[in-house]
Amino acid sequence: MAMNSAMLREPGSTPDDEPAVALTELEAHVLAQVAVNQPISAYDVMKALSRSPVSSLSGSTGAIYPIVKRLRERGLLTAAPVKGSPRRTEVLSCSPAGRAAAARWVGSVSDVDLLPHDPLRSKILFFSLLTKPEQMRFLLEASRALEAKLEELEQYAKAHEGLNLELASQGAAVATKARRRWLQDVLLEISQS
C-alpha cells in the first residue's frame, strides 16, 4: 500500500470481486468533507480546506476540482445542479459507497497517520548544503513561523465551535508546540557543534 493513500474498494465490490483501489489522503479528505457537510459545492470544499489551519492539505482549484471529478467517476460522489445558478454550480453528496469509503478512511490507521511528512524534518536531512549561519537562520525563521502558526491555530479554535474542530485544533497545537521544541533542540545542537 502507498504510504499516502487509503485502500478502499470500488463501490459495490466485495473483497473477492476486484482489487482495492487507493484513495490519496486528499481524495479521502475531500470525500469526508462532503460526507459531513453535504450537500456542498466543490468551491465550498476548497474554501474549507484553504481556511483551515488544522489541515496542511492543498485546497487549490487545481487540486480539488480534478479530485471531485475522479470521485464522481468512481461513483463515490454525486452532483446535483443548483437551480438558477448563473455559474452552473453543482452541489455534491456522497453516494452510499462514498459515505462508507469516507467512514472507512476516518476509522482506519495507516503508516502515514503515524509519521506524516514533515518538510522541516526533510530539510534538516540535507543541512550539509547550508553553512552553519544559514542553518541557524533557517532554524530561527522556522521557529518564529511555528510560533505564528500556533497563534493562528488558537485564534481559529476560538472563532469556530464544535467538539471535533476543537479536538483537531488541540492536536494541531500540540504537534506545533512539539515541532517548535524540537527545532529549539536542533538549534542548540548546531550552535554547540
Side-chain angles (χ1 to χ4, degrees):
M1 172 170 44
M3 291 293 283
N4 66 344
S5 64
M7 297 303 282
L8 303 172
R9 302 226 170 261
E10 283 290 356
S13 70
T14 62
D16 298 327
D17 285 343
E18 52 189 291
V21 229
L23 287 179
T24 66
E25 190 73 10
L26 184 53
E27 287 172 335
H29 191 97
V30 167
L31 191 60
Q33 183 78 246
V34 173
V36 168
N37 297 297
Q38 63 188 1
I40 185 172
S41 70
Y43 177 76
D44 288 332
V45 170
M46 187 177 66
K47 280 192 339 190
L49 268 170
S50 64
R51 281 189 308 218
S52 173
V54 175
S55 174
S56 61
L57 298 172
S58 172
S60 72
T61 303
I64 300 304
Y65 286 100
I67 285 173
V68 166
K69 181 180 180 200
R70 284 193 303 274
L71 294 174
R72 286 179 66 186
E73 289 169 352
R74 291 178 185 175
L76 300 174
L77 290 180
T78 61
V82 174
K83 290 181 176 130
S85 170
R87 301 177 93 190
R88 295 186 285 172
T89 301
E90 295 179 319
V91 289
L92 305 168
S93 295
C94 279
S95 66
R99 171 101 176 54
R104 278 193 302 276
W105 171 72
V106 171
S108 67
V109 178
S110 69
D111 286 346
V112 73
D113 298 330
L114 304 177
L115 187 60
H117 172 66
D118 182 344
L120 295 176
R121 191 175 61 233
S122 295
K123 289 179 178 185
I124 288 174
L125 283 172
F126 305 105
F127 253 24
S128 62
L129 295 170
L130 301 178
T131 64
K132 187 173 178 177
E134 289 171 329
Q135 292 172 3
M136 303 284 281
R137 180 200 51 77
F138 170 83
L139 292 167
L140 289 170
E141 185 179 319
S143 202
R144 283 192 295 270
L146 283 172
E147 185 66 40
K149 179 55 81 174
L150 186 57
E151 190 173 310
E152 178 187 357
L153 286 166
E154 290 168 353
Q155 293 303 317
Y156 186 80
K158 286 179 188 174
H160 297 83
E161 292 185 20
L163 178 61
N164 294 340
L165 178 63
E166 183 179 329
L167 293 172
S169 295
Q170 287 173 358
V174 167
T176 302
K177 288 175 184 176
R179 290 175 82 211
R180 193 181 65 212
R181 277 192 304 274
W182 166 70
L183 281 181
Q184 290 167 348
D185 290 346
V186 172
L187 182 62
L188 181 63
E189 182 78 23
I190 287 176
S191 69
Q192 293 176 349
S193 64

